[in-house]
């Protein structure tokens, strides 16, 4: 782990009601208060649970951050079923997960759409957590680094260095998401180092040095510390193990420097 503040983000996906979410947030916060660690902890509830989570975070003055799992790029309009960046900022949402492989695969999100969302999030003061990751086919054909480079460059197209502060990148190999298979820490580090070099090429040395890059894909209490020990991995995007305090809190503890 580097001097960058570690970030542990829990992606709840399509799980937990508003009431369950409030209870989980309270349990995570109790743990964080005891731990007193210099770790940024973020939860990404489904839209129906964001407002109640936001209210309890605010009222109880919790240090937890809030992320959305997706958003539309327009501020408002006739887009049935969509949620806008202004709705998110009104709910005190600071981050948005964009380009998750499940949205790319099941909802046909392209790099172009993801780029529109990235630029919109930034212009509304929401930090994108831009996800990238290769399929097993791509890994086995030895094209991982080139593929990731394509996703990063396309996702960040037309973003200036001045506006890139605060962007977070999550490297999540598709074959490791929800499968129980993780990349080895060395495999993850190789890709995260590559991503950092690309950021340097696009934005220069400051963004390269300061951007947090997370690993995601079957992260759990037993393996988290191994990833966090790598030089270019600054935390984790956690799915399955983010749904209970019992599974998530030890991952936060593992990020303590
Ligand atoms: P997982 O999901 O931890 O369940 O593998 C990670 C993610 O999709 O963000």
């Amino acid at each position: 782990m580097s001097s960058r503040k570690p970030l542990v983000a829990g992606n709840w996906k399509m799980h937990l009601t508003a009431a369950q979410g409030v209870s989980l947030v309270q349990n995570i916060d109790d743990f964080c208060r005891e731990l007193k660690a210099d770790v940024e902890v973020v939860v990404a509830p489904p839209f129906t649970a964001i407002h109640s989570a936001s209210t309890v975070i605010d009222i109880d003055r919790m240090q937890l951050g809030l992320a959305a799992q997706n958003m539309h790029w327009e501020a408002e309009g006739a887009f049935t079923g969509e949620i806008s960046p202004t709705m998110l900022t009104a709910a005190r949402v600071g981050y948005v997960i964009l380009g998750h492989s499940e949205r790319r695969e099941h909802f046909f999100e392209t790099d172009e759409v993801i780029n529109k969302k990235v630029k919109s999030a930034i212009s509304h003061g929401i930090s994108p957590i831009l996800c990238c990751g290769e399929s097993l086919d791509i890994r086995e054909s030895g094209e991982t680094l080139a593929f990731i480079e394509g996703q990063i460059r396309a996702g960040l197209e037309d973003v200036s260095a001045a506006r890139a502060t605060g962007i977070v990148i999550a490297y999540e190999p598709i074959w490791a998401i929800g499968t129980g298979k993780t990349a080895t820490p060395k495999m993850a580090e190789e890709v995260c180092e590559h991503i950092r070099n690309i950021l340097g090429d696009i934005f220069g040395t400051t963004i390269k040095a300061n951007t947090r890059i997370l690993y995601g894909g079957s992260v759990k209490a037993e393996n988290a510390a191994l990833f966090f020990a790598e030089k270019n991995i600054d935390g984790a995007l956690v799915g399955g193990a983010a749904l209970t305090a019992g599974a998530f809190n030890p991952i936060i503890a593992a990020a303590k420097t």
Side-chain angles (χ1 to χ4, degrees), residues 11 13 100-102 172 176-180 216-219 237-241:
N11 174 10
K13 306 193 180 181
H100 191 282
S101 62
E102 287 153 14
E172 301 201 306
I177 295 176
T179 58
S218 301
V219 173
L237 181 56
V238 185

Side-chain angles (χ1 to χ4, degrees), residues 10-189:
N11 174 10
W12 298 357
K13 306 193 180 181
M14 198 171 71
H15 296 284
L16 306 185
T17 63
Q20 289 168 330
V22 165
S23 158
L24 177 53
V25 157
Q26 283 166 330
N27 286 332
I28 296 169
D29 178 63
D30 287 347
F31 181 79
C32 290
R33 282 178 203 251
E34 283 230 335
L35 189 69
K36 292 192 180 68
D38 199 19
V39 177
E40 187 175 353
V41 180
V42 169
V43 292
F47 290 129
T48 45
I50 279 189
H51 198 270
S52 49
S54 176
T55 302
V56 75
I57 286 170
D58 189 46
I59 289 174
D60 290 347
R61 298 180 193 286
M62 297 179 183
Q63 293 300 306
L64 299 187
L66 209 47
Q69 298 175 19
N70 182 30
M71 62 166 230
H72 196 277
W73 60 87
E74 294 286 350
E76 60 181 5
F79 298 103
T80 301
E82 292 292 321
I83 300 287
S84 80
T86 49
M87 294 169 186
L88 296 181
T89 51
R92 295 179 288 264
V93 169
Y95 290 93
V96 59
I97 298 169
L98 294 175
H100 191 282
S101 62
E102 287 153 14
R103 297 224 48 94
R104 294 179 192 258
E105 184 184 340
H106 304 306
F107 304 99
F108 315 109
E109 287 197 15
T110 60
D111 283 329
E112 195 185 356
V113 161
I114 293 159
N115 176 244
K116 278 189 189 179
K117 293 181 177 190
V118 165
K119 288 186 286 192
S120 171
I122 294 169
S123 70
H124 286 90
I126 304 170
S127 296
I129 300 175
L130 173 62
C131 301
C132 61
E134 81 288 359
S135 64
L136 194 55
D137 277 359
I138 293 172
R139 173 148 294 267
E140 285 175 349
S141 62
E143 283 155 24
T144 297
L145 297 183
F147 180 80
I148 297 295
E149 177 154 7
Q151 284 188 324
I152 294 292
R153 288 191 186 275
L156 298 176
E157 201 172 305
D158 296 330
V159 174
S160 65
R163 310 202 84 192
T165 321
I167 291 177
V168 175
I169 307 288
Y171 167 57
E172 301 201 306
I174 297 172
W175 48 271
I177 295 176
T179 58
K181 290 183 196 156
T182 51
T184 65
K186 288 285 160 246
M187 280 158 99
E189 168 64 12

Side-chain angles (χ1 to χ4, degrees), residues 225-236:
L226 299 172
F227 291 101
F228 299 157
E230 295 294 337
K231 212 169 106 212
N232 287 289
I233 299 177
D234 306 307

